[in-house]
Amino acid sequence: MPRYQELLCELVGSVELAEGLLTASAHDVLNNFNHPIEEQDESPGSRAASRGVIPGVGSLFAGSGGGMLSITAVRLFFPQAMTGAIDTIRLMGSSGLILTPTEKDLAHPDVREALAKYLRGKDMSAEERLRIMKMAWDVVGTEFGGRQFMYEWFFAGDPFGSRIVYYRTKRRAQCQAMAQRLLDQTDSREAITDA
């Protein structure tokens, strides 16, 4: 169904964004001004010798590569992505997540035939569909899923605090300045007339 294809593509897109953010974060850490890759002196105590080590607190959000700014973006992205993924799984699974029979039900002689007929998917057996629904239930309805959800929200600290830290970075000021430049280039009377 096209609606489910769209939802699945959103999940795949979130995974791609997450991988991109993690790659950018690793790149920023490796290129942080505390330990630039270009520096060849790797003697103990040199800046290059500490390559890959998280920089000191004073440089977390500074430096030529932005320091740890992209890691902060990851901290902002994952809780929202996890919430979206769980909502998508709930929507796609709907009541099938709750009204899923057990493996014993599938093996019971009185209901085996009906379950095999009515639980199957377009291109999958009832058993395969049942395994998928059970896995989805683990994510959205069990204690494990609930703990994982809480972990994604709070593993990097208070989400509110993370947003405040990000707000205080140079990057937010750069984005604000870019928006102001665009506004300054537009004649307000012309914008009102065109609307």
Side-chain angles (χ1 to χ4, degrees), residues 75 78-79 82 86 143-159:
R75 291 170 58 189
F78 275 114
M82 184 70 169
I86 287 174
E143 294 86 1
F144 166 78
R147 282 192 303 271
Q148 183 63 31
F149 181 74
M150 293 299 286
Y151 173 80
E152 289 300 333
W153 266 96
F154 297 108
F155 82 99
D158 174 31

PDB file of all heavy atoms in Angstrom, residues 75 78-79 82 86 143-159:
ATOM      1  N   ARG A  75      22.350  14.706  19.398  1.00  0.00           N
ATOM      2  CA  ARG A  75      21.593  14.640  20.653  1.00  0.00           C
ATOM      3  C   ARG A  75      20.198  15.235  20.493  1.00  0.00           C
ATOM      4  O   ARG A  75      19.275  14.836  21.186  1.00  0.00           O
ATOM      5  CB  ARG A  75      22.359  15.373  21.750  1.00  0.00           C
ATOM      6  CG  ARG A  75      23.633  14.653  22.159  1.00  0.00           C
ATOM      7  CD  ARG A  75      24.507  15.479  23.048  1.00  0.00           C
ATOM      8  NE  ARG A  75      23.814  15.888  24.272  1.00  0.00           N
ATOM      9  CZ  ARG A  75      24.324  16.760  25.125  1.00  0.00           C
ATOM     10  NH1 ARG A  75      25.484  17.326  24.890  1.00  0.00           N
ATOM     11  NH2 ARG A  75      23.657  17.073  26.220  1.00  0.00           N
ATOM     12  N   PHE A  78      18.111  12.332  17.723  1.00  0.00           N
ATOM     13  CA  PHE A  78      17.716  10.977  18.074  1.00  0.00           C
ATOM     14  C   PHE A  78      16.416  10.874  18.867  1.00  0.00           C
ATOM     15  O   PHE A  78      15.595  10.005  18.567  1.00  0.00           O
ATOM     16  CB  PHE A  78      18.846  10.231  18.779  1.00  0.00           C
ATOM     17  CG  PHE A  78      19.798   9.592  17.815  1.00  0.00           C
ATOM     18  CD1 PHE A  78      21.103  10.019  17.720  1.00  0.00           C
ATOM     19  CD2 PHE A  78      19.378   8.562  16.984  1.00  0.00           C
ATOM     20  CE1 PHE A  78      21.977   9.443  16.819  1.00  0.00           C
ATOM     21  CE2 PHE A  78      20.240   7.976  16.078  1.00  0.00           C
ATOM     22  CZ  PHE A  78      21.543   8.420  16.001  1.00  0.00           C
ATOM     23  N   PRO A  79      16.178  11.699  19.873  1.00  0.00           N
ATOM     24  CA  PRO A  79      14.883  11.565  20.569  1.00  0.00           C
ATOM     25  C   PRO A  79      13.691  11.789  19.638  1.00  0.00           C
ATOM     26  O   PRO A  79      12.704  11.052  19.704  1.00  0.00           O
ATOM     27  CB  PRO A  79      14.953  12.650  21.653  1.00  0.00           C
ATOM     28  CG  PRO A  79      16.410  12.849  21.901  1.00  0.00           C
ATOM     29  CD  PRO A  79      17.054  12.656  20.560  1.00  0.00           C
ATOM     30  N   MET A  82      13.411   8.739  17.275  1.00  0.00           N
ATOM     31  CA  MET A  82      12.878   7.575  17.972  1.00  0.00           C
ATOM     32  C   MET A  82      11.370   7.713  18.166  1.00  0.00           C
ATOM     33  O   MET A  82      10.617   6.752  17.959  1.00  0.00           O
ATOM     34  CB  MET A  82      13.578   7.418  19.326  1.00  0.00           C
ATOM     35  CG  MET A  82      13.169   6.202  20.087  1.00  0.00           C
ATOM     36  SD  MET A  82      13.803   4.725  19.287  1.00  0.00           S
ATOM     37  CE  MET A  82      13.480   3.517  20.533  1.00  0.00           C
ATOM     38  N   ILE A  86       8.615   5.112  16.504  1.00  0.00           N
ATOM     39  CA  ILE A  86       7.619   4.393  17.314  1.00  0.00           C
ATOM     40  C   ILE A  86       6.209   4.738  16.851  1.00  0.00           C
ATOM     41  O   ILE A  86       5.350   3.860  16.726  1.00  0.00           O
ATOM     42  CB  ILE A  86       7.829   4.683  18.809  1.00  0.00           C
ATOM     43  CG1 ILE A  86       9.081   3.946  19.272  1.00  0.00           C
ATOM     44  CG2 ILE A  86       6.620   4.263  19.633  1.00  0.00           C
ATOM     45  CD1 ILE A  86       9.498   4.232  20.687  1.00  0.00           C
ATOM     46  N   GLU A 143       8.203  -3.651  28.230  1.00  0.00           N
ATOM     47  CA  GLU A 143       9.108  -2.940  29.138  1.00  0.00           C
ATOM     48  C   GLU A 143      10.423  -2.635  28.434  1.00  0.00           C
ATOM     49  O   GLU A 143      10.993  -1.562  28.599  1.00  0.00           O
ATOM     50  CB  GLU A 143       9.382  -3.786  30.396  1.00  0.00           C
ATOM     51  CG  GLU A 143       8.180  -4.003  31.270  1.00  0.00           C
ATOM     52  CD  GLU A 143       7.335  -5.212  30.830  1.00  0.00           C
ATOM     53  OE1 GLU A 143       7.701  -5.901  29.855  1.00  0.00           O
ATOM     54  OE2 GLU A 143       6.301  -5.448  31.470  1.00  0.00           O
ATOM     55  N   PHE A 144      10.904  -3.577  27.638  1.00  0.00           N
ATOM     56  CA  PHE A 144      12.134  -3.349  26.884  1.00  0.00           C
ATOM     57  C   PHE A 144      12.001  -2.120  25.988  1.00  0.00           C
ATOM     58  O   PHE A 144      12.862  -1.248  25.976  1.00  0.00           O
ATOM     59  CB  PHE A 144      12.471  -4.579  26.032  1.00  0.00           C
ATOM     60  CG  PHE A 144      13.526  -4.304  24.989  1.00  0.00           C
ATOM     61  CD1 PHE A 144      14.863  -4.236  25.343  1.00  0.00           C
ATOM     62  CD2 PHE A 144      13.170  -4.072  23.663  1.00  0.00           C
ATOM     63  CE1 PHE A 144      15.835  -3.952  24.389  1.00  0.00           C
ATOM     64  CE2 PHE A 144      14.129  -3.794  22.713  1.00  0.00           C
ATOM     65  CZ  PHE A 144      15.473  -3.734  23.071  1.00  0.00           C
ATOM     66  N   GLY A 145      10.903  -2.056  25.237  1.00  0.00           N
ATOM     67  CA  GLY A 145      10.693  -0.919  24.344  1.00  0.00           C
ATOM     68  C   GLY A 145      10.583   0.392  25.097  1.00  0.00           C
ATOM     69  O   GLY A 145      11.106   1.421  24.668  1.00  0.00           O
ATOM     70  N   GLY A 146       9.894   0.366  26.227  1.00  0.00           N
ATOM     71  CA  GLY A 146       9.754   1.564  27.037  1.00  0.00           C
ATOM     72  C   GLY A 146      11.088   2.038  27.577  1.00  0.00           C
ATOM     73  O   GLY A 146      11.391   3.239  27.570  1.00  0.00           O
ATOM     74  N   ARG A 147      11.914   1.104  28.047  1.00  0.00           N
ATOM     75  CA  ARG A 147      13.248   1.482  28.544  1.00  0.00           C
ATOM     76  C   ARG A 147      14.106   2.031  27.415  1.00  0.00           C
ATOM     77  O   ARG A 147      14.831   3.012  27.585  1.00  0.00           O
ATOM     78  CB  ARG A 147      13.931   0.277  29.196  1.00  0.00           C
ATOM     79  CG  ARG A 147      13.424  -0.028  30.579  1.00  0.00           C
ATOM     80  CD  ARG A 147      14.318  -1.046  31.296  1.00  0.00           C
ATOM     81  NE  ARG A 147      14.462  -2.289  30.565  1.00  0.00           N
ATOM     82  CZ  ARG A 147      13.658  -3.345  30.675  1.00  0.00           C
ATOM     83  NH1 ARG A 147      12.633  -3.298  31.500  1.00  0.00           N
ATOM     84  NH2 ARG A 147      13.873  -4.437  29.983  1.00  0.00           N
ATOM     85  N   GLN A 148      14.036   1.403  26.243  1.00  0.00           N
ATOM     86  CA  GLN A 148      14.827   1.878  25.105  1.00  0.00           C
ATOM     87  C   GLN A 148      14.400   3.283  24.706  1.00  0.00           C
ATOM     88  O   GLN A 148      15.230   4.131  24.401  1.00  0.00           O
ATOM     89  CB  GLN A 148      14.691   0.923  23.916  1.00  0.00           C
ATOM     90  CG  GLN A 148      15.528   1.305  22.719  1.00  0.00           C
ATOM     91  CD  GLN A 148      17.014   1.280  23.009  1.00  0.00           C
ATOM     92  OE1 GLN A 148      17.501   0.496  23.822  1.00  0.00           O
ATOM     93  NE2 GLN A 148      17.758   2.151  22.340  1.00  0.00           N
ATOM     94  N   PHE A 149      13.094   3.521  24.704  1.00  0.00           N
ATOM     95  CA  PHE A 149      12.583   4.845  24.366  1.00  0.00           C
ATOM     96  C   PHE A 149      13.113   5.883  25.352  1.00  0.00           C
ATOM     97  O   PHE A 149      13.586   6.956  24.951  1.00  0.00           O
ATOM     98  CB  PHE A 149      11.056   4.827  24.372  1.00  0.00           C
ATOM     99  CG  PHE A 149      10.440   6.146  24.014  1.00  0.00           C
ATOM    100  CD1 PHE A 149      10.452   6.595  22.709  1.00  0.00           C
ATOM    101  CD2 PHE A 149       9.862   6.937  24.986  1.00  0.00           C
ATOM    102  CE1 PHE A 149       9.898   7.818  22.368  1.00  0.00           C
ATOM    103  CE2 PHE A 149       9.291   8.151  24.657  1.00  0.00           C
ATOM    104  CZ  PHE A 149       9.315   8.598  23.342  1.00  0.00           C
ATOM    105  N   MET A 150      13.055   5.575  26.639  1.00  0.00           N
ATOM    106  CA  MET A 150      13.570   6.506  27.652  1.00  0.00           C
ATOM    107  C   MET A 150      15.070   6.712  27.492  1.00  0.00           C
ATOM    108  O   MET A 150      15.573   7.819  27.648  1.00  0.00           O
ATOM    109  CB  MET A 150      13.253   5.997  29.062  1.00  0.00           C
ATOM    110  CG  MET A 150      11.775   5.984  29.382  1.00  0.00           C
ATOM    111  SD  MET A 150      11.032   7.628  29.317  1.00  0.00           S
ATOM    112  CE  MET A 150      11.674   8.336  30.801  1.00  0.00           C
ATOM    113  N   TYR A 151      15.780   5.651  27.169  1.00  0.00           N
ATOM    114  CA  TYR A 151      17.223   5.770  26.957  1.00  0.00           C
ATOM    115  C   TYR A 151      17.523   6.745  25.831  1.00  0.00           C
ATOM    116  O   TYR A 151      18.378   7.613  25.948  1.00  0.00           O
ATOM    117  CB  TYR A 151      17.830   4.395  26.653  1.00  0.00           C
ATOM    118  CG  TYR A 151      19.274   4.474  26.257  1.00  0.00           C
ATOM    119  CD1 TYR A 151      20.264   4.606  27.220  1.00  0.00           C
ATOM    120  CD2 TYR A 151      19.663   4.444  24.917  1.00  0.00           C
ATOM    121  CE1 TYR A 151      21.595   4.700  26.869  1.00  0.00           C
ATOM    122  CE2 TYR A 151      20.988   4.539  24.549  1.00  0.00           C
ATOM    123  CZ  TYR A 151      21.957   4.676  25.540  1.00  0.00           C
ATOM    124  OH  TYR A 151      23.265   4.775  25.176  1.00  0.00           O
ATOM    125  N   GLU A 152      16.815   6.610  24.703  1.00  0.00           N
ATOM    126  CA  GLU A 152      17.065   7.494  23.566  1.00  0.00           C
ATOM    127  C   GLU A 152      16.783   8.947  23.922  1.00  0.00           C
ATOM    128  O   GLU A 152      17.435   9.847  23.413  1.00  0.00           O
ATOM    129  CB  GLU A 152      16.225   7.085  22.352  1.00  0.00           C
ATOM    130  CG  GLU A 152      16.663   5.804  21.700  1.00  0.00           C
ATOM    131  CD  GLU A 152      18.086   5.834  21.182  1.00  0.00           C
ATOM    132  OE1 GLU A 152      18.609   6.915  20.839  1.00  0.00           O
ATOM    133  OE2 GLU A 152      18.712   4.762  21.133  1.00  0.00           O
ATOM    134  N   TRP A 153      15.814   9.185  24.773  1.00  0.00           N
ATOM    135  CA  TRP A 153      15.502  10.558  25.167  1.00  0.00           C
ATOM    136  C   TRP A 153      16.531  11.139  26.114  1.00  0.00           C
ATOM    137  O   TRP A 153      16.848  12.320  26.053  1.00  0.00           O
ATOM    138  CB  TRP A 153      14.108  10.630  25.808  1.00  0.00           C
ATOM    139  CG  TRP A 153      13.072  10.982  24.808  1.00  0.00           C
ATOM    140  CD1 TRP A 153      12.270  10.114  24.137  1.00  0.00           C
ATOM    141  CD2 TRP A 153      12.745  12.285  24.320  1.00  0.00           C
ATOM    142  NE1 TRP A 153      11.458  10.797  23.269  1.00  0.00           N
ATOM    143  CE2 TRP A 153      11.732  12.140  23.366  1.00  0.00           C
ATOM    144  CE3 TRP A 153      13.215  13.567  24.596  1.00  0.00           C
ATOM    145  CZ2 TRP A 153      11.171  13.208  22.679  1.00  0.00           C
ATOM    146  CZ3 TRP A 153      12.650  14.642  23.915  1.00  0.00           C
ATOM    147  CH2 TRP A 153      11.641  14.453  22.972  1.00  0.00           C
ATOM    148  N   PHE A 154      17.070  10.305  27.025  1.00  0.00           N
ATOM    149  CA  PHE A 154      17.864  10.874  28.114  1.00  0.00           C
ATOM    150  C   PHE A 154      19.318  10.413  28.181  1.00  0.00           C
ATOM    151  O   PHE A 154      20.030  10.826  29.086  1.00  0.00           O
ATOM    152  CB  PHE A 154      17.179  10.570  29.456  1.00  0.00           C
ATOM    153  CG  PHE A 154      15.831  11.223  29.562  1.00  0.00           C
ATOM    154  CD1 PHE A 154      14.673  10.470  29.484  1.00  0.00           C
ATOM    155  CD2 PHE A 154      15.725  12.593  29.722  1.00  0.00           C
ATOM    156  CE1 PHE A 154      13.431  11.070  29.567  1.00  0.00           C
ATOM    157  CE2 PHE A 154      14.491  13.207  29.809  1.00  0.00           C
ATOM    158  CZ  PHE A 154      13.342  12.450  29.733  1.00  0.00           C
ATOM    159  N   PHE A 155      19.791   9.562  27.247  1.00  0.00           N
ATOM    160  CA  PHE A 155      21.154   9.051  27.368  1.00  0.00           C
ATOM    161  C   PHE A 155      22.203  10.154  27.307  1.00  0.00           C
ATOM    162  O   PHE A 155      23.265  10.048  27.893  1.00  0.00           O
ATOM    163  CB  PHE A 155      21.449   7.983  26.303  1.00  0.00           C
ATOM    164  CG  PHE A 155      21.834   8.546  24.965  1.00  0.00           C
ATOM    165  CD1 PHE A 155      23.154   8.637  24.579  1.00  0.00           C
ATOM    166  CD2 PHE A 155      20.849   8.991  24.082  1.00  0.00           C
ATOM    167  CE1 PHE A 155      23.499   9.151  23.341  1.00  0.00           C
ATOM    168  CE2 PHE A 155      21.190   9.503  22.847  1.00  0.00           C
ATOM    169  CZ  PHE A 155      22.522   9.587  22.477  1.00  0.00           C
ATOM    170  N   ALA A 156      21.924  11.236  26.623  1.00  0.00           N
ATOM    171  CA  ALA A 156      22.900  12.319  26.479  1.00  0.00           C
ATOM    172  C   ALA A 156      22.592  13.480  27.419  1.00  0.00           C
ATOM    173  O   ALA A 156      23.082  14.576  27.225  1.00  0.00           O
ATOM    174  CB  ALA A 156      22.923  12.804  25.035  1.00  0.00           C
ATOM    175  N   GLY A 157      21.776  13.225  28.399  1.00  0.00           N
ATOM    176  CA  GLY A 157      21.435  14.281  29.341  1.00  0.00           C
ATOM    177  C   GLY A 157      20.041  14.827  29.066  1.00  0.00           C
ATOM    178  O   GLY A 157      19.301  14.319  28.232  1.00  0.00           O
ATOM    179  N   ASP A 158      19.716  15.843  29.802  1.00  0.00           N
ATOM    180  CA  ASP A 158      18.411  16.471  29.705  1.00  0.00           C
ATOM    181  C   ASP A 158      18.209  17.081  28.317  1.00  0.00           C
ATOM    182  O   ASP A 158      19.000  17.927  27.890  1.00  0.00           O
ATOM    183  CB  ASP A 158      18.319  17.554  30.787  1.00  0.00           C
ATOM    184  CG  ASP A 158      17.059  18.378  30.693  1.00  0.00           C
ATOM    185  OD1 ASP A 158      16.031  17.844  30.255  1.00  0.00           O
ATOM    186  OD2 ASP A 158      17.112  19.572  31.068  1.00  0.00           O
ATOM    187  N   PRO A 159      17.164  16.655  27.575  1.00  0.00           N
ATOM    188  CA  PRO A 159      16.937  17.204  26.235  1.00  0.00           C
ATOM    189  C   PRO A 159      16.749  18.726  26.237  1.00  0.00           C
ATOM    190  O   PRO A 159      17.198  19.414  25.332  1.00  0.00           O
ATOM    191  CB  PRO A 159      15.673  16.502  25.742  1.00  0.00           C
ATOM    192  CG  PRO A 159      15.508  15.319  26.610  1.00  0.00           C
ATOM    193  CD  PRO A 159      16.171  15.633  27.909  1.00  0.00           C
TER     194      PRO A 159
END
